[in-house]
Amino acid sequence: MDTCAAEFEAFTPYYYSTYEQENEIRTSHKRKVVILGGGPNRIGQGIEFDYCCVHASMALREMGIESIMVNSNPETVSTDYDTSDRLYFEPLTREDVLHIVEQEKPEGVIVQFGGQTPLNLSVPLSEAGVTILGTSPDSIDRAEDRERFQVLLQKLQILQPENGIAVNKQEAVRVAERIGYPVVVRPSFVLGGRAMEIVYDRKDLEYYMETAIQVSPGKPILIDRFLDNAVEIDVDAISDGHDTIIGGIMEHIEEAGIHSGDSACVLPPVSLEPEILETIMDHTRALARALSVVGLMNIQYAVKDGVIYVIEVNPRASRTVPFVSKATAVPLAKMATRVIMGNTLKSLGLTEEVVPKHVSVKEAVFPFSRFPGVDTILGPEMKSTGEVMGIDRTFGLAFGKSQLAAGQRIPLKGTVFISVKDEDKMKVLPVARGLFDLGFRILATRGTSRFFLENGVVNESVNKVREGRPHVVDMIKNSEIHLVINTTSSKKAIAESYSIRRASLTRNVPYTTTLAGAKATLAAIRSMTDSAKVANAATAGSEGNMKVRTIQEYHGDF
């Protein structure tokens, strides 16, 4: 496709393939490298991988190496005409990539910047004789293959939740009964946690097995012990095969069980003990060394009762790389590209971790308003389509900014409705008490209301929808409620409370469906209220006195 309409020579044409006799590819004899993108963007696969691909292309250009991008999403920056030296607008399949490699004869192919899609191609391409740059296909397979990975963790004496593999209903039941309910079940080799669920009993597990096999035919179902009330941690690291530097340690605000792409997270962590952080860093370096990682690596941990478990290791860029790079001023994707091409971290001047003085919060953005009838409750299957970032000197202010950027205007006064599952009642008590002390009127459903009164929190009872009018949804529609806190678990309770969450969404009432989100919201309201008190009343709006600074100003504080 001639981008200059034949008026003058096109230096960065798009290439589309078709089965014909004429070949219009103009190959060069310069050093060149193929970068595999993430393919079509869809719910469940973050656009953040495009950031990594673009920065890889920029780094190659700075090194005097031609970048050849293979991607097929017209909405991405990596498919802009001036991002790479050459663009192949082709599907990310073994056949199509091999055809391009045959024509271009590059030094090799980079698979670690486009997410899971190109990573799945590493072994097939390698078996066909293609050079995979960076982490070897065998190391990628060791991290991806459940049995090989277990052997590696046992050798390193690193814990992971009890788990098993099943290919049919009977095997799944045996595994689940051995490790104990609840369990997290998911098909292998799918994107964005698709068809991933938390299962609480045998009946639900048998139903899941009947439907999940269709999502990933011929592949086993992975079954893990669900770590209830655990804190999830994301770690991005970069390694040159010898030295490993931690790019960032992110503490998830939502508890384990919410997909990492949907969970808000904070960098640096705000509640983890120093010895926990030190152990996480040691585990990360040990895994990078054992897997001979060259380039980027992402590890997800869970911390429960002071014990650290590894959930997953991905020897590739993660969807948090852009966030970490902006928070720490370290361009991880560019650095990783240079490492992949042979530079050492020491030669690049990256010899120690950067811990920012400010607090950065990443929040997911969801497309719920565009899909009538979709429930807003979060779970293991990814639903977000993007993310925003809030930066400030405290966690509360940074979280408040992230919510504002995501479209939720956290109120500083008004009425809050609280309805939580039984096991959350004691834990939500400090949140309710804190909101009441800040001047909020508390509304609650009958069971929650009674519990609050017994524990000294003044509140008013309101009807559930099935209990008759006027009920909570009526009050949301009448703009009488300014914040909703709603947690639930059983399928019956989820169905009954659906109308509350949907009404909140359509009426733009801020809501949270997790206890951790409720605690973070309280922290934000406190910080914003304190900030507003200090500020001049004429300049302080409903968001308090949140000051705006450029990201360069924050980086200048290091």
Side-chain angles (χ1 to χ4, degrees):
M1 177 179 178
D2 190 340
T3 54
C4 298
E7 290 186 24
F8 46 87
E9 185 179 359
F11 291 100
T12 53
Y14 294 2
Y15 287 114
Y16 298 83
S17 72
T18 185
Y19 291 95
E20 272 292 343
Q21 295 180 356
E22 186 179 359
N23 186 355
E24 296 181 341
I25 292 175
R26 298 189 302 275
T27 58
S28 73
H29 298 290
K30 300 177 183 176
R31 289 186 68 190
K32 49 193 170 183
V33 167
V34 169
I35 302 168
L36 300 188
N41 192 40
R42 58 274 205 195
I43 296 173
Q45 181 163 14
I47 201 71
E48 299 86 358
F49 296 120
D50 194 59
Y51 168 100
C52 299
C53 291
V54 170
H55 277 241
S57 184
M58 291 176 176
L60 289 173
R61 184 174 294 175
E62 291 166 4
M63 298 171 72
I65 301 170
E66 270 192 11
S67 61
I68 301 169
M69 189 73 64
V70 182
N71 207 356
S72 54
N73 184 357
E75 299 302 318
T76 55
V77 180
S78 65
T79 53
D80 283 354
Y81 71 93
D82 58 351
T83 295
S84 54
D85 294 292
R86 201 166 296 120
L87 169 69
Y88 285 87
F89 208 89
E90 291 293 291
L92 274 300
T93 68
R94 176 183 179 277
E95 179 185 2
D96 290 286
V97 174
L98 285 177
H99 286 163
I100 294 165
V101 169
E102 183 184 349
Q103 292 291 327
E104 292 286 355
K105 297 180 172 54
E107 288 184 24
V109 175
I110 298 177
V111 299
Q112 62 179 260
F113 293 128
Q116 192 65 40
T117 300
L119 208 68
N120 289 345
L121 292 174
S122 62
V123 172
L125 291 176
S126 178
E127 289 173 347
V130 177
T131 300
I132 303 297
L133 299 173
T135 307
S136 72
D138 181 64
S139 291
I140 293 171
D141 187 65
R142 283 180 76 194
E144 297 272 312
D145 184 276
R146 177 62 64 102
E147 292 177 355
R148 296 186 71 192
F149 186 57
Q150 275 185 344
V151 171
L152 175 66
L153 289 182
Q154 288 167 4
K155 182 179 177 183
L156 296 174
Q157 296 184 319
I158 296 175
L159 298 176
Q160 69 174 154
E162 287 185 88
N163 59 77
I165 301 173
V167 294
N168 56 49
K169 191 189 302 183
Q170 293 73 26
E171 285 185 14
V173 169
R174 279 199 298 272
V175 170
E177 290 180 348
R178 173 176 58 82
I179 65 180
Y181 292 98
V183 293
V184 180
V185 287
R186 61 191 169 110
S188 52
F189 300 100
V190 295
L191 303 174
R194 187 175 168 223
M196 188 173 176
E197 283 187 26
I198 300 170
V199 173
Y200 290 87
D201 54 45
R202 176 172 178 163
K203 182 181 175 183
D204 283 348
L205 178 61
E206 289 176 344
Y207 176 76
Y208 176 87
M209 290 300 296
E210 290 170 3
T211 56
I213 300 295
Q214 302 165 13
V215 175
S216 187
K219 301 291 184 182
I221 301 298
L222 310 180
I223 304 173
D224 294 86
R225 177 85 170 98
F226 176 56
L227 300 173
D228 207 5
N229 297 317
V231 177
E232 195 164 333
I233 311 295
D234 247 299
V235 179
D236 281 329
I238 182 170
S239 178
D240 58 15
H242 300 284
D243 298 322
T244 300
I245 296 295
I246 311 298
I249 300 176
M250 292 149 279
E251 177 182 347
H252 287 214
I253 292 168
E254 278 78 19
E255 54 273 311
I258 307 297
H259 192 281
S260 61
D262 287 352
S263 177
C265 67
V266 56
L267 187 161
V270 292
S271 70
L272 297 178
E273 299 294 330
E275 54 268 26
I276 293 285
L277 293 175
E278 195 61 43
T279 303
I280 285 172
M281 294 173 77
D282 289 343
H283 284 358
T284 302
R285 294 188 186 102
L287 284 162
R289 189 164 51 249
L291 289 169
S292 303
V293 170
V294 178
L296 286 168
M297 176 178 72
N298 171 263
I299 305 180
Q300 293 168 23
Y301 296 94
V303 180
K304 181 176 172 64
D305 302 326
V307 180
I308 300 169
Y309 300 88
V310 170
I311 300 175
E312 193 173 36
V313 175
N314 292 306
R316 57 167 170 82
S318 74
R319 59 175 54 83
T320 51
V321 164
F323 169 68
V324 174
S325 298
K326 291 176 188 294
T328 62
V330 178
L332 290 175
K334 278 189 174 182
M335 291 285 194
T337 305
R338 291 182 175 274
V339 164
I340 289 168
M341 298 310 297
N343 291 105
T344 63
L345 290 172
K346 285 179 182 175
S347 70
L348 297 174
L350 195 59
T351 56
E352 59 184 21
E353 283 73 25
V354 174
V355 181
K357 296 177 182 176
H358 54 266
V359 178
S360 300
V361 173
K362 184 206 79 167
E363 179 58 286
V365 177
F366 299 92
F368 297 136
S369 60
R370 297 173 184 267
F371 294 93
V374 171
D375 199 345
T376 61
I377 199 161
L378 301 180
E381 185 168 352
M382 183 175 163
K383 297 178 180 177
S384 63
T385 51
E387 58 188 34
V388 293
M389 181 175 177
I391 311 177
D392 214 298
R393 63 187 182 278
T394 67
F395 169 69
L397 288 173
F399 184 79
K401 284 183 177 179
S402 73
Q403 298 309 295
L404 185 62
Q408 296 222 68
R409 299 178 74 87
I410 295 178
L412 301 188
K413 60 182 179 180
T415 301
V416 57
F417 167 74
I418 303 176
S419 178
V420 297
K421 56 190 177 184
D422 288 341
E423 54 263 43
D424 284 349
K425 282 185 170 60
M426 184 59 73
K427 297 171 189 171
V428 84
L429 199 58
V431 176
R433 193 172 284 129
L435 289 168
F436 180 79
D437 292 343
L438 288 167
F440 280 84
R441 174 190 175 204
I442 308 293
L443 294 180
T445 48
R446 196 160 297 158
T448 305
S449 174
R450 190 183 310 115
F451 178 81
F452 284 169
L453 289 172
E454 290 169 356
N455 288 274
V457 177
V458 178
N459 72 93
E460 300 168 40
S461 179
V462 61
N463 287 337
K464 294 180 180 178
V465 174
R466 62 178 170 82
E467 293 172 344
R469 304 185 109 150
H471 49 60
V472 58
V473 172
D474 290 330
M475 297 187 73
I476 292 172
K477 289 180 177 178
N478 292 335
S479 301
E480 297 175 55
I481 292 174
H482 308 97
L483 175 65
V484 171
I485 298 172
N486 173 226
T487 71
T488 187
S489 57
S490 72
K491 289 188 176 180
K492 181 185 175 185
I494 289 172
E496 285 184 352
S497 56
Y498 161 77
S499 58
I500 298 172
R501 294 185 295 275
R502 194 70 207 179
S504 303
L505 177 71
T506 56
R507 298 287 167 160
N508 292 318
V509 176
Y511 63 89
T512 176
T513 60
T514 65
L515 191 63
K519 292 176 180 176
T521 300
L522 173 61
I525 293 171
R526 276 185 176 143
S527 295
M528 290 156 65
T529 301
D530 292 343
S531 181
K533 286 177 182 175
V534 173
N536 186 306
T539 59
S542 62
E543 282 79 44
N545 185 40
M546 293 192 290
K547 291 184 171 62
V548 176
R549 300 177 73 201
T550 65
I551 198 166
Q552 290 81 5
E553 287 177 294
Y554 282 109
H555 293 165
D557 292 340
F558 289 177

